[in-house]
Amino acid sequence: MPDENGMVVREEVLVPVPPSLSATSSLASLSSLPMSSSSSTRRYTHARAVLGPDLAARLPETKVLLVGAGGIGCELLKNVVMSGFGHITLLDLDTIDLSNLNRQFLFRKKDVKQSKALVAAKTASAFNPKVKINPIHGNIKEPQFDIAWFKSFDLVLNALDNLDARRHVNRMCLAAGVPLVESGTAGYLGQVQPIVKDQTECFDCVPKPTPKTFPVCTIRSTPSQPIHCIVWAKSYLLPQLFGEDEESGGELDEAEKQGENAQEIATLRKEALAFKAVRSALRTPPKSENASDASKIAFEKVYRNDILNLLSMGDMWRTRAPPTPLDFDKIKDGSFVLEKKSSTSPNGVPPNNGSNSNGQASGSAATEKLLNGTAPTASTSSNSSSLKDQKALSLQENLELFVSSTNCLAERIRAGEDTISFDKDDDDTLDFVTAAANLRSAAYGIAGKSRWEVKEMAGNIIPAIATTNAIISGLIVLQAFQLLRKSYEALRNVHVQFRPNMPLSTIGMSPPNPECGVCRDTYAELLCDPSRVTLGEVIDGVLGDNKREVSAYEEKRLLSDPDFDDNLERTLESLGVTRGKFLTIVDEDGDYEAIQLGIGVLPPNHPHDETIIFPSPLPSPPKKVKVVAAPSTPPPPSRSTVLSKKRAAPEDDIQEAPAKRARTNGNTTIDNTPFTPSKKRKLDEDGLIILDTLDEKVEDDDDVIILD
Amino acid sequence: MSATTEPGTKSVPLQITEDEAAVYDRQIRLWGLEAQQRMRNATILVVRLKGVATEAIKNIVLAGIGTLIIMDSENVSEEDLGAGFFFRDEDVGKKRVDVAKARIQSLNPLVTVQTMTEPTLLEAESLDALVMTVDLVCVTDFDREGLFRINEVCRRFKKPFYAGGTFGLLGYIFCDLLKHDYIAPDRSAPKEATKNIKNTLVYSPMYEGLNHKWSGLTRKQTRELNPAVVFTVLALWEYESKHGRLPDDPKTSSDLDNFALAFLAKAEVNKQAITAIPRDLIETIAVTAAHEISPVCAVVGGMLAQDILKALAAREAPIANFFTFDGSTGGGTVCRLNMP
């Protein structure tokens, strides 16, 4: 580019400094001018041409936070480093696993077990020595990452894989007033969502699908699908044998309240007691010649006695096939015969439908046959696979695996491990869950699953590939450019989808959901010493002259309300409301939106006798918007609809409600409190309401593929 | 994936080992073991190593193709450092492929990486000999006539052909997979009962595809395909063909405008949908087309690699046949050029 450097440098100087840039940052860009004739700016020649001199000049001064250094995070880090974002903070709590290497290209085999953030930063900093990467091996929910910390960034980019952390970052960004780009991928699919408080929907404006749950009785006594047996093995049997020694009565009490079969629950209670004996057998050193003793005791209990107990309840099996008690010795010597109960094969050979659990075109023998007209090779046609883990296990093999894995786990407990819980990468627990689930499946006439399949189902593995992550991370940065330009009208939600003529679809931004229990709240920062300020002091101070009846929460925990003032004299610290957490002030009459006070620390040189700095001006939450449902497109039910659905009661009944609410001493969590700050979302999580999605247009034919 | 050889009939010489399965676990769960084995046995030629190729190569090497051959005769420029993460400051002036090779190799030791630098390899007979030895050809950031020529050679040897590149915020992928059979789940069926279905696509060579007539599409159908971007790409190729380089000057916008108008008229594009390229797009592209930026390369290189892998695996519908990307919004559309 002849003459271009001189031209561009001049433009950089002349460009008015955007208001978001501080005086120091504009000075910094001036001071870097003498170097700009070298490769330090020719590296950015292309970026300057495409992004324009204004944005290009700001990038080196831009402070960006990347949350996550995994599949999306590695790709994203590469893009922001190459694009020239000058100050990058990269945070991840995870370490590198072998199965990351197919897509997380900043990691090598030698890096396995190292911190993702540290290794990613090291690898990517070589891509562009002009940028500074600050890696943090930590959890984004740690207290030091408070509102003030979030405020130190111009932009936050999410590259997370779990709902909890994404919600947290969403809320912190709303509280700090920092724009966020949210993202996610699953297999070939992905999406990118820019979020600006009061301009766009936030992450929680649209309800998210909740994880699938099963009724207790389905898992404990009447499974009908492989997943029921896997959940039983992972979340019930494994904790019963190797988890914490606790009375598991709570779950059954709850199930009873939900109206599940009372007789069945009584039987399950008896069953639970019998586990004590098995637990102690597993913790006793075995006599050398009888190594399988304890595992046999466990087996006899769950696959024989418990099933015999259940069978004694004739009522249960009138409409469904009864299970068959298993016989340890007969399975071992191969003489055990299961009668065929259904079309599924109880020997553990799964029926092959040629598609995996994610509905993608996986390569089984059946699909090969579809493509070629013939199965690929004789050796793979019956078993569809040459991988050991993908082989279906016989009943006998499952028994052997049950014995060996139970003994391994028992040995670990005896060697001093306190408790063992399921981890898909812990081979012993995976073996145990595979075998235990398959044995139970056999007893119930359900098809078995291979170790490979159990790993995916029990470990909630979402298939992941480099390409989708690369595409999504490119799209994140393109939206980030629009955010930095404050070109809000140019922002788009983008979806990577199966649609032959529109693989990347864009949707203009929707305004915030007026009913959103997260972004409609009023956020403010409360700097204080939580060990020296009381709840009452904070509430009084924050309300100022606008005295009204309020209740206070931390997350779902009720700390005070007009009829419950026991905690007002207690310090925030004693109530667990500390740095990085939010104290939520909710209007008792529902007239005002809630106030969210993010707890931060006092400045270093603050006088010792002043323990609190109230936000100035004090937060003044707007009056709540009453939404009238339009007949054509039903909006999500308003808060009042939700409440009236929950308890269709006369007016005075509602006024009694606060007195009925459970109270807390600051240490216990109350679920299901109807007045939680983000009640819509939380009620939804609890499965109480089902909302029509706001983004029907987004989803119209995402899943439909048009074939010729 | 070619007209004469049925996919899969060629024997599968290399089996995935347990170690490989551990590394490739998350993707085998998506596309299956057989698809992985097909990738493992494929040799892919990538021509030119700029931003899009850098991204596409990273992705297909991570995925675990068998052999990658990169052909590029140029030296690393300082500007290449903007999107070329296989290059470092100290590499400026050295051959692109020479400095990139070890870094590409380190992404996945299971892949064989070969490089070529002699420009004559793209000339008639040597190109024939090269194409014959590979399973798929991917040409990046190349001029239109060159793409036509390599596409024609690929046709002669029944090899799938991909072209991809970026122009500033815009990008494109064209592919010619000849007659391509693939399987994909029937996503119109209820979720619990998805079945795999075999499909066949018959592709068009690029020079015929670009003569495609858009008549017959409604205003809505036309608009959905983002014709402004499609015809901007055609105009850029025309400019490059006439001037020997891409435009990089605001004064070129009237040229580009005229080229686009001529293509719009020739293709009989529905006038209710578009009559000319929007002024701001033409003015922007006149000064940005010759430049590449990392995020756009990531999107286009990601789409390109994904489609190459789909084609190799004969799993999922590949692009049919002209994808364009608009980085100002993030939208990407595919139009069928001269395909049934």
Side-chain angles (χ1 to χ4, degrees):
Chain A
M1 302 297 125
D3 301 328
E4 190 178 305
N5 283 326
M7 282 297 294
V8 171
V9 167
R10 191 178 297 273
E11 279 171 27
E12 275 176 358
V13 177
L14 293 175
V15 163
V17 178
S20 70
L21 279 181
S22 66
T24 47
S25 58
S26 63
L27 281 175
S29 66
L30 281 172
S31 66
S32 68
L33 285 182
M35 291 163 58
S36 56
S37 57
S38 71
S39 66
S40 68
T41 58
R42 286 187 61 189
R43 168 188 281 277
Y44 295 138
T45 299
H46 290 324
R48 216 156 35 217
V50 178
L51 303 179
D54 178 8
L55 181 57
R58 285 171 55 194
L59 285 181
E61 308 308 326
T62 299
K63 298 180 183 68
V64 62
L65 168 65
L66 272 60
V67 194
I72 298 175
C74 281
E75 291 288 333
L76 186 57
L77 178 63
K78 172 254 300 166
N79 292 346
V80 298
V81 164
M82 302 299 285
S83 300
F85 286 75
H87 303 272
I88 302 160
T89 298
L90 175 73
L91 182 142
D92 198 305
L93 55 75
D94 210 359
T95 55
I96 298 159
D97 184 76
L98 190 62
S99 65
N100 300 148
L101 302 185
N102 78 320
R103 61 196 185 284
Q104 299 174 19
F105 80 109
L106 302 176
F107 309 142
R108 304 287 175 266
K109 211 164 180 172
K110 66 174 168 53
D111 303 321
V112 166
K113 300 231 186 327
Q114 307 288 308
S115 155
K116 284 189 175 180
L118 301 182
V119 175
K122 186 159 180 263
T123 311
S125 59
F127 297 168
N128 184 355
K130 300 287 157 204
V131 303
K132 190 177 158 292
I133 309 175
N134 170 31
I136 301 172
H137 180 76
N139 186 335
I140 192 65
K141 295 182 85 172
E142 285 167 26
Q144 69 271 31
F145 308 128
D146 57 8
I147 294 178
W149 186 75
F150 271 85
K151 276 184 175 165
S152 70
F153 301 102
D154 299 306
L155 188 64
V156 177
L157 308 178
N158 262 0
L160 287 161
D161 62 358
N162 70 86
L163 222 47
D164 186 51
R166 293 159 89 182
R167 286 205 160 119
H168 177 79
V169 176
N170 176 55
R171 194 152 74 135
M172 294 307 287
C173 287
L174 292 170
V178 180
L180 167 69
V181 187
E182 179 27 65
S183 67
T185 65
Y188 294 113
L189 307 175
Q191 91 283 330
V192 169
Q193 180 192 7
I195 296 171
V196 185
K197 186 168 174 8
D198 300 333
Q199 301 277 336
T200 71
E201 284 176 338
C202 82
F203 183 70
D204 273 319
C205 278
V206 176
K208 301 292 176 282
T210 50
K212 193 165 173 55
T213 56
F214 301 100
V216 173
C217 286
T218 302
I219 298 304
R220 300 274 287 273
S221 50
T222 55
S224 59
Q225 294 168 22
I227 184 67
H228 300 153
C229 298
I230 292 168
V231 170
W232 173 84
K234 168 193 163 185
S235 307
Y236 176 66
L237 185 60
L238 182 69
Q240 283 290 336
L241 299 182
F242 302 108
E244 245 172 87
D245 190 9
E246 58 179 31
E247 300 300 324
S248 67
E251 188 188 33
L252 291 173
D253 294 346
E254 190 54 37
E256 199 163 27
K257 264 190 258 160
Q258 301 292 323
E260 292 197 42
N261 185 321
Q263 190 199 358
E264 206 177 321
I265 284 168
T267 309
L268 292 175
R269 283 217 174 86
K270 211 165 75 186
E271 200 183 297
L273 281 176
F275 266 115
K276 282 198 178 295
V278 183
R279 285 180 67 96
S280 77
L282 288 167
R283 281 154 182 79
T284 314
K287 292 162 200 140
S288 55
E289 72 274 24
N290 268 336
S292 71
D293 255 1
S295 61
K296 189 174 175 182
I297 293 171
F299 182 98
E300 297 284 349
K301 186 208 171 293
V302 294
Y303 298 113
R304 184 165 185 87
N305 301 343
D306 288 352
I307 288 178
L308 286 172
N309 268 339
L310 281 172
L311 283 175
S312 69
M313 291 184 291
D315 279 5
M316 278 179 72
W317 314 109
R318 233 180 289 148
T319 54
R320 46 169 86 88
T324 309
L326 303 182
D327 185 314
F328 189 95
D329 294 318
K330 282 189 175 163
I331 294 175
K332 206 172 175 184
D333 68 22
S335 66
F336 187 78
V337 182
L338 270 170
E339 311 142 47
K340 289 252 179 204
K341 291 197 189 65
S342 63
S343 58
T344 53
S345 71
N347 295 324
V349 182
N352 202 330
N353 63 4
S355 119
N356 67 14
S357 54
N358 293 287
Q360 316 283 1
S362 67
S364 66
T367 53
E368 282 306 293
K369 191 167 175 191
L370 193 61
L371 197 62
N372 304 328
T374 56
T377 59
S379 67
T380 59
S381 60
S382 63
N383 215 347
S384 86
S385 152
S386 56
L387 288 181
K388 195 175 89 227
D389 270 11
Q390 290 189 353
K391 294 220 164 56
L393 300 167
S394 70
L395 197 48
Q396 211 170 359
E397 286 167 327
N398 276 313
L399 178 72
E400 283 162 19
L401 191 61
F402 180 82
V403 169
S404 63
S405 59
T406 304
N407 288 336
C408 281
L409 293 169
E411 181 61 39
R412 280 166 54 177
I413 291 280
R414 289 194 299 268
E417 257 182 81
D418 245 7
T419 59
I420 300 173
S421 58
F422 179 76
D423 174 352
K424 66 185 189 308
D425 299 315
D426 176 342
D427 281 343
D428 294 337
T429 63
L430 179 58
D431 284 341
F432 177 84
V433 168
T434 304
N438 281 337
L439 289 170
R440 185 168 176 84
S441 290
Y444 279 88
I446 298 166
K449 289 281 172 192
S450 68
R451 190 177 184 272
W452 166 275
E453 291 168 308
V454 172
K455 183 172 185 174
E456 182 164 326
M457 294 165 85
N460 297 319
I461 293 177
I462 296 162
I465 50 177
T467 47
T468 311
N469 290 332
I471 295 163
I472 285 297
S473 68
L475 294 170
I476 292 171
V477 175
L478 291 170
Q479 295 303 319
F481 290 152
Q482 307 289 23
L483 285 173
L484 289 175
R485 287 191 181 104
K486 295 199 167 29
S487 305
Y488 298 141
E489 75 295 339
L491 293 173
R492 296 289 184 277
N493 286 328
V494 189
H495 290 248
V496 182
Q497 58 183 11
F498 287 112
R499 196 165 148 190
N501 68 348
M502 201 177 287
L504 306 177
S505 80
T506 59
I507 298 123
M509 307 312 292
S510 301
N513 175 0
E515 304 296 296
C516 180
V518 176
C519 73
R520 295 303 83 212
D521 292 351
T522 297
Y523 287 83
E525 208 178 354
L526 184 78
L527 306 182
C528 67
D529 177 351
S531 68
R532 292 195 294 154
V533 300
T534 64
L535 179 62
E537 208 180 325
V538 172
I539 293 175
D540 284 349
V542 160
L543 292 180
D545 298 332
N546 184 14
K547 294 281 178 261
R548 51 198 169 97
E549 296 214 310
V550 294
S551 41
Y553 294 85
E554 191 278 314
E555 289 290 327
K556 287 182 173 185
R557 296 185 301 132
L558 175 68
L559 305 176
S560 79
D561 69 29
D563 301 322
F564 169 47
D565 55 11
D566 310 20
N567 289 332
L568 293 179
E569 296 305 312
R570 297 180 59 179
T571 64
L572 293 187
E573 187 179 72
S574 73
L575 292 166
V577 185
T578 48
R579 184 178 183 189
K581 295 194 171 167
F582 285 92
L583 179 68
T584 308
I585 314 282
V586 180
D587 188 65
E588 201 56 16
D589 297 328
D591 290 340
Y592 294 92
E593 299 287 358
I595 298 171
Q596 299 277 6
L597 295 172
I599 310 298
V601 288
L602 292 164
N605 297 323
H606 196 72
H608 182 77
D609 52 336
E610 286 176 49
T611 55
I612 190 162
I613 302 177
F614 284 103
S616 174
L618 288 174
S620 62
K623 289 257 186 186
K624 269 192 194 175
V625 185
K626 307 282 183 210
V627 172
V628 182
S632 54
T633 51
S638 67
R639 287 177 182 185
S640 53
T641 321
V642 172
L643 292 175
S644 64
K645 260 187 198 165
K646 180 141 173 70
R647 34 195 170 91
E651 203 59 29
D652 53 0
D653 212 339
I654 289 173
Q655 283 176 353
E656 272 178 36
K660 289 181 191 161
R661 265 179 271 156
R663 274 135 196 209
T664 179
N665 56 9
N667 297 323
T668 52
T669 298
I670 302 161
D671 284 317
N672 256 348
T673 315
F675 282 93
T676 50
S678 49
K679 57 184 74 83
K680 181 178 70 68
R681 167 164 70 72
K682 279 165 182 160
L683 288 173
D684 187 44
E685 265 176 0
D686 295 336
L688 293 176
I689 48 168
I690 294 161
L691 301 180
D692 291 318
T693 54
L694 281 177
D695 58 343
E696 274 174 346
K697 59 185 184 294
V698 178
E699 298 191 330
D700 53 0
D701 47 2
D702 285 2
D703 296 325
V704 181
I705 194 155
I706 300 149
L707 297 169
D708 301 288
Chain B
M1 73 200 69
S2 67
T4 52
T5 326
E6 280 294 303
T9 50
K10 154 171 134 175
S11 68
V12 177
L14 275 166
Q15 294 284 313
I16 300 291
T17 65
E18 299 285 336
D19 280 356
E20 290 172 55
V23 174
Y24 298 137
D25 183 278
R26 295 303 186 271
Q27 65 197 44
I28 292 175
R29 289 181 192 279
L30 187 68
W31 52 53
L33 195 61
E34 276 76 13
Q36 188 66 49
Q37 269 162 2
R38 287 164 190 270
M39 294 172 192
R40 182 83 174 84
N41 290 304
T43 297
I44 298 180
L45 170 67
V46 174
V47 179
R48 289 198 90 201
L49 182 55
K50 287 181 48 82
V52 164
T54 297
E55 286 284 344
I57 284 170
K58 173 203 66 193
N59 297 331
I60 60 176
V61 167
L62 286 172
I65 58 161
T67 302
L68 171 70
I69 305 172
I70 313 167
M71 159 71 224
D72 187 301
S73 51
E74 290 175 67
N75 295 338
V76 177
S77 68
E78 286 168 20
E79 290 80 1
D80 285 343
L81 299 172
F85 53 83
F86 295 135
F87 312 136
R88 307 285 179 264
D89 283 301
E90 60 270 25
D91 299 331
V92 171
K94 298 177 192 159
K95 288 270 182 244
R96 282 177 185 160
V97 292
D98 288 351
V99 296
K101 187 178 176 183
R103 297 192 181 110
I104 294 166
Q105 182 69 73
S106 79
L107 290 174
N108 189 344
L110 300 167
V111 177
T112 306
V113 181
Q114 297 170 3
T115 55
M116 300 176 168
T117 55
E118 302 79 23
T120 53
L121 282 171
L122 292 179
E123 287 166 12
E125 283 94 47
S126 41
L127 182 61
D128 285 10
L130 187 55
V131 168
M132 250 191 303
T133 64
V134 302
D135 297 304
L136 185 147
V137 177
C138 173
V139 187
T140 60
D141 289 301
F142 222 70
D143 67 278
R144 187 180 61 192
E145 280 66 33
L147 292 174
F148 287 171
R149 193 166 57 81
I150 299 173
N151 183 191
E152 185 274 323
V153 176
C154 289
R155 281 239 144 202
R156 243 186 310 124
F157 293 101
K158 314 282 185 219
K159 306 291 183 181
F161 166 83
Y162 275 89
T166 67
F167 301 114
L169 286 173
L170 306 187
Y172 69 89
I173 297 168
F174 179 90
C175 66
D176 176 7
L177 305 186
L178 307 122
K179 178 175 168 287
H180 180 73
D181 294 332
Y182 68 95
I183 55 166
D186 173 11
R187 294 194 172 83
S188 61
K191 279 235 168 9
E192 301 306 316
T194 44
K195 266 194 346 197
N196 284 319
I197 298 176
K198 181 188 161 181
N199 301 281
T200 301
L201 288 166
V202 178
Y203 283 80
S204 167
M206 191 171 176
Y207 73 92
E208 285 176 19
L210 296 195
N211 286 320
H212 177 69
K213 296 268 185 284
W214 288 50
S215 43
L217 293 184
T218 64
R219 175 165 164 260
K220 182 167 176 281
Q221 287 168 329
T222 308
R223 278 200 176 163
E224 240 184 20
L225 300 177
N226 205 354
V229 171
V230 174
F231 285 87
T232 300
V233 171
L234 297 187
L236 287 167
W237 271 328
E238 182 71 11
Y239 183 98
E240 192 181 21
S241 173
K242 289 269 193 316
H243 298 273
R245 59 185 161 79
L246 287 167
D248 197 14
D249 189 318
K251 290 196 283 286
T252 61
S253 57
S254 61
D255 256 10
L256 289 169
D257 201 14
N258 290 332
F259 291 144
L261 285 172
F263 280 115
L264 282 165
K266 197 171 140 217
E268 297 165 17
V269 178
N270 190 325
K271 287 204 170 61
Q272 289 178 302
I274 183 170
T275 52
I277 309 295
R279 198 70 230 157
D280 57 341
L281 175 54
I282 282 286
E283 282 170 5
T284 305
I285 205 69
V287 292
T288 58
H291 304 279
E292 57 178 18
I293 59 166
S294 165
V296 174
C297 293
V299 175
V300 178
M303 293 293 295
L304 179 58
Q306 187 53 70
D307 224 62
I308 289 171
L309 297 173
K310 283 178 182 173
L312 292 176
R315 295 283 182 286
E316 303 288 353
I319 288 169
N321 53 351
F322 192 44
F323 166 84
T324 51
F325 177 66
D326 182 353
S328 67
T329 62
T333 51
V334 173
C335 46
R336 289 172 88 93
L337 301 182
N338 197 36
M339 279 183 72

